[in-house]
Amino acid sequence: MSHVSDPIRFAVAVTPSDATVLTPFRCLYVGTAGDVAVRMAGGQTNVTFPNLAVGWHPIQGDMVLNTGTTASDIIAGWG
């Protein structure tokens, strides 16, 4: 079992979408600060994280939603 503090093995650039389900990720990198709307792990709750700073964030989910996301240059990491 991996822990949020373990190094990631896979990463992919994310284009926010209200329809695209991603491989479940355990962290997000934000390259340009802003709000990030995420469907959380388990797929039942959407949360908008306001004003995320540039850097890595230990957020687990399977979607980065277009609606509500103003940040850009987002990378999802897992594995």
Side-chain angles (χ1 to χ4, degrees):
M1 175 194 288
S2 62
H3 298 280
V4 75
S5 62
D6 293 343
I8 60 173
R9 297 185 316 156
F10 306 100
V12 64
V14 173
T15 299
S17 168
D18 293 336
T20 302
V21 178
L22 304 168
T23 299
F25 53 84
R26 63 186 171 122
C27 60
L28 291 175
Y29 177 82
V30 174
T32 302
D35 298 347
V36 178
V38 173
R39 183 170 83 173
M40 299 301 291
Q44 297 180 12
T45 305
N46 294 346
V47 175
T48 299
F49 295 91
N51 198 30
L52 285 185
V54 170
W56 286 100
H57 302 277
I59 299 170
Q60 295 185 2
D62 65 2
M63 293 178 80
V64 176
L65 304 168
N66 185 52
T67 302
T69 296
T70 61
S72 59
D73 305 314
I74 299 170
I75 297 172
W78 70 95

